Amino acid sequence: MLELRLHRAHKTLSQRGNDGMRVSEIAMASGFSDVSYFNRCFRRRFGYTPTSAR
């Protein structure tokens, strides 16, 4: 489940049309209730921060 949420967030972050969304909004929309946990998981999985994925 975590992997699916992370891939959804990664896809959303990298799409041009979502530039107006904050990282926290994308995290919440992807099923994360804690942005710090999302950031840690994202960095561990992809090797860079959610902000860098933009």
Side-chain angles (χ1 to χ4, degrees), residues 13-33:
L13 283 164
S14 60
Q15 291 175 336
R16 291 260 182 216
N18 297 320
D19 290 347
M21 290 181 75
R22 295 186 314 236
V23 171
S24 60
E25 292 174 319
I26 292 171
M28 298 294 171
S30 299
F32 292 89
S33 58

Side-chain angles (χ1 to χ4, degrees), residues 43-54:
R43 184 188 296 247
R44 194 175 322 136
R45 171 61 182 89
F46 297 108
Y48 47 87
T49 64
T51 304
S52 298
R54 293 189 171 233

Side-chain angles (χ1 to χ4, degrees), residues 2-13:
L2 176 61
E3 187 72 15
L4 292 173
R5 289 178 181 168
L6 287 170
H7 277 286
R8 179 178 179 191
H10 188 273
K11 181 179 177 183
T12 305
L13 283 164

